[in-house]
Amino acid sequence: MSTLKAILFSALALAILSGCNSAGGVDSNGTQPPKNDMGGDLGAAAIRTNGDYDKLTATEKAQLLQITHGNEKSARHLLQQMVAPAPKGPGGPPPPTGG
C-alpha cells in the first residue's frame, strides 16, 4: 500500500512541478499572448486578387513569403491553389478493369 501512495504522490508532484496550466493560454500577468496567425487574411486576399501574386499588398506578400520560407515560386503556387476550384468527382484511383 505504501508503494501505491508513493506512486500517487510522485504523480501529483510531477503534475505540480511540470506547470499544469488550466488557465487557457493566459500568461503570468493575466493577459493572453498574441496569436500566431500567419495566414489570417491571406484567404481573403487570394479571393480579392483571384490568385494573382502581383496584386497583393507588400504586407500580404511578406506574410506569404514567410509561410513559404522566402520561396516566391512556392508563394505564387500556394496563392493560386487557394482560389483553385475543388476537383469534382470521387477521389482515388480508377477501379481496376479486366479480370
Side-chain angles (χ1 to χ4, degrees):
M1 192 64 160
S2 64
T3 305
L4 181 60
K5 286 182 182 179
I7 292 172
L8 290 175
F9 180 74
S10 297
L12 179 63
L14 181 64
I16 291 171
L17 294 176
S18 68
C20 274
N21 185 5
S22 62
V26 177
D27 60 9
S28 60
N29 63 1
T31 61
Q32 291 186 346
K35 293 181 180 179
N36 187 10
D37 188 17
M38 293 187 347
D41 295 325
L42 288 179
I47 293 170
R48 185 187 79 241
T49 63
N50 197 26
D52 188 353
Y53 181 81
D54 296 322
K55 292 180 182 176
L56 292 175
T57 65
T59 304
E60 292 165 343
K61 286 181 182 178
Q63 285 179 326
L64 198 55
L65 287 172
Q66 185 178 9
I67 290 171
T68 59
H69 302 286
N71 188 329
E72 185 177 325
K73 185 176 179 182
S74 293
R76 288 177 181 272
H77 183 71
L78 177 63
L79 189 65
Q80 290 171 353
Q81 291 301 311
M82 292 172 84
V83 295
K88 297 187 181 198
T97 59

